[in-house]
Amino acid sequence: MDVRRRFTLFAVTIAATPLILGGCTAERKSATGDAAAPKVTVAPADRTKDVPISAEVGTSVSGGRISSVKLTDDKGKQLAGEPREDGSSWVPAKPLENGRTYTAEVTATGKKGRTTVGRTTFTTSPKSTRQAIKSTLYFTGNQTYGTAMPVTVAFDPPIPKEARAVVQRRLFVKTDPPQPGTWSWVGDGKQVEYRAPDFWKPGTKISVRSGLAGLPIGKEFIGDEDHRSTSKIGRQVALEIDNATKQMSVLQDGKLVRKIPVSMGKPSTPTSSGKMVIMEKHDFTTFDTRGSADPYVVDVEDAQRLTWGGEFIHAAPWSEGDQGNINVSHGCTNVAVTAADWLMGITKVGDLVTIKGTEVQLDQGNGFTAWNVSWDEFAKGSALPVPPGLKPAPTTSPVHPGAVAGGSSPAPAPSVSGG
């Protein structure tokens, strides 16, 4: 990648002074009076100690462009890595190791091919004694997801507002073909989600890295691990459930393929209305609400999770006489046994589910809720600037919610309640 302009450093503490200041500078001028060689400054500064293992190699260059970056450890092994897409730094492919010494060489090329090499040697910190914030990446590798699948990372404990930009900077998403998007934080900091302005295009490959290992997060915490995964997007399916008619419409590529009678949450335990995403699928599971105000234990088949709070679509042979007529569940969407089995064969994790007309609205963060708000509202949740040109594709007529669209305390443990 041709990296131009500036690189900066950086995975450091939130209030840290950029390590680029006082970095190692190298400069060479032409002996023949021709154009001077470029100037390069590398960070961390030479002989810096206690550098976080999440650190990136930063440089600034004038009179040229960065043509290569080489990072080696104290045993002479060269580390893999790549520049950020915005050209702001060079990111090692894996976290560095504690208590090791590294040498970075950054080559800049100027006019008439003149080059300058900037060098710096630094030592990483010992293993931190800070509390690690547990991060969970809800985007498993080698899967095929639905077109509404957001990349979701959950945190325990939540990320403080003032630390979110530092954390977000270490969350990387690549799409092939390119379909840029942004991260957006749920208000309490328990969860951050990534999506593009429009649904993913079928066939898109998505590669994710949550590179938080060793990242200083405020004064008290540190990141726990690096997580990586690559998966693809499959065909488009969407479910629309209307409380007024007690019917589910199943759409593929925007076309209705089946209607299914449903029974949803009774008035005392209503189903949430909103745009949610299938989070997980179970051929068999047990709902256990002992300890709640309405305790029960029931085995269910063909269950598809929609919320952290325990709302599912599932087979409910006990309510088949009510389906299409009246709501009798504890908040789940009940369907017939044969319908539930058929749904398991056509849906994927990441498919959009839209429910309307019930007594309560879906809370942001109660599940994968990236599509439950407009793009403008979603973008406001980013802790970093969002490119102003990143917008949903224009439409000349209303788009059916099931149609394919192109373009670019912690998250709670899954409840086993249902109904």
Side-chain angles (χ1 to χ4, degrees):
M1 175 177 179
D2 184 12
V3 181
R4 303 174 186 274
R5 301 182 190 148
R6 293 176 57 89
F7 286 59
T8 48
L9 179 74
F10 350 169
V12 291
T13 56
I14 298 165
T17 302
L19 293 178
I20 195 169
L21 300 177
C24 177
T25 302
E27 178 183 356
R28 264 187 264 138
K29 293 186 178 180
S30 168
T32 60
D34 293 336
K39 299 179 180 179
V40 179
T41 303
V42 186
D46 195 35
R47 300 184 183 181
T48 299
K49 299 184 182 297
D50 293 327
V51 174
I53 62 171
S54 57
E56 304 171 16
V57 176
T59 73
S60 65
V61 58
S62 61
R65 60 181 179 83
I66 302 300
S67 51
S68 71
V69 177
K70 180 181 179 181
L71 181 66
T72 55
D73 64 19
D74 44 20
K75 295 182 179 179
K77 180 181 178 181
Q78 185 171 342
L79 279 65
E82 60 183 343
R84 284 183 174 271
E85 291 184 3
D86 63 2
S88 60
S89 65
W90 188 89
V91 184
K94 296 181 179 180
L96 306 180
E97 296 182 20
N98 292 111
R100 298 286 299 274
T101 298
Y102 296 87
T103 299
E105 296 183 357
V106 179
T107 302
T109 302
K111 295 180 180 179
K112 298 185 179 180
R114 293 192 173 276
T115 61
T116 300
V117 178
R119 295 180 176 85
T120 186
T121 297
F122 60 91
T123 303
T124 54
S125 62
K127 187 174 181 178
S128 177
T129 58
R130 295 186 187 186
Q131 178 184 346
I133 291 182
K134 180 182 178 181
S135 61
T136 303
L137 174 62
Y138 289 99
F139 191 85
T140 305
N142 301 313
Q143 302 294 314
T144 300
Y145 289 115
T147 57
M149 182 66 178
V151 178
T152 303
V153 184
F155 302 96
D156 179 10
I159 302 297
K161 193 169 185 178
E162 63 273 14
R164 293 176 192 173
V166 169
V167 172
Q168 186 174 326
R169 187 166 168 78
R170 291 290 298 178
L171 304 176
F172 306 91
V173 178
K174 289 184 178 181
T175 54
D176 182 20
Q179 194 176 342
T182 190
W183 293 93
S184 181
W185 291 84
V186 173
D188 58 13
K190 296 176 182 178
Q191 182 170 303
V192 65
E193 297 178 299
Y194 183 97
R195 73 168 175 93
D198 299 299
F199 297 122
W200 301 118
K201 296 177 182 177
T204 299
K205 183 172 76 171
I206 302 177
S207 297
V208 181
R209 178 186 179 190
S210 174
L212 303 178
L215 176 70
I217 303 175
K219 296 180 180 180
E220 300 179 22
F221 301 106
I222 196 166
D224 62 342
E225 295 182 42
D226 264 38
H227 301 283
R228 286 180 178 270
S229 64
T230 297
S231 284
K232 65 179 181 179
I233 301 301
R235 80 295 164 274
Q236 186 276 338
V237 165
L239 311 181
E240 297 177 3
I241 304 169
D242 188 348
N243 188 40
T245 62
K246 307 292 188 293
Q247 296 287 322
M248 173 194 294
S249 298
V250 182
L251 303 108
Q252 184 164 0
D253 298 327
K255 297 179 180 180
L256 180 66
V257 295
R258 183 169 176 176
K259 282 206 168 187
I260 298 172
V262 301
S263 179
M264 294 188 286
K266 55 192 175 183
S268 61
T269 53
T271 301
S272 299
S273 286
K275 293 183 177 180
M276 50 205 82
V277 173
I278 296 173
M279 303 171 66
E280 58 188 25
K281 300 172 63 171
H282 302 276
D283 293 328
F284 177 88
T285 191
T286 300
F287 295 154
D288 186 346
T289 67
R290 286 174 294 185
S292 72
D294 187 9
Y296 61 89
V297 179
V298 61
D299 295 332
V300 297
E301 295 182 350
D302 297 332
Q304 305 191 53
R305 179 184 287 276
L306 301 181
T307 69
W308 293 122
E311 295 180 41
F312 287 76
I313 299 169
H314 66 82
W318 56 85
S319 71
E320 288 190 11
D322 299 309
Q323 293 164 19
N325 300 302
I326 188 172
N327 291 334
V328 298
S329 84
H330 292 85
C332 290
T333 298
N334 290 179
V335 297
V337 171
T338 55
D341 181 68
W342 179 83
L343 280 171
M344 288 288 283
I346 194 172
T347 60
K348 294 186 181 299
V349 171
D351 285 340
L352 183 71
V353 178
T354 303
I355 299 177
K356 65 179 183 178
T358 65
E359 296 88 343
V360 295
Q361 294 297 311
L362 179 67
D363 292 329
Q364 284 302 108
N366 185 15
F368 300 164
T369 54
W371 297 97
N372 197 45
V373 293
S374 69
W375 170 256
D376 288 342
E377 189 67 23
F378 183 80
K380 288 179 182 178
S382 174
L384 296 172
V386 178
L390 199 58
K391 297 287 185 183
T395 57
T396 56
S397 60
V399 176
H400 193 285
V404 174
S408 4
S409 76
S415 167
V416 292
S417 63

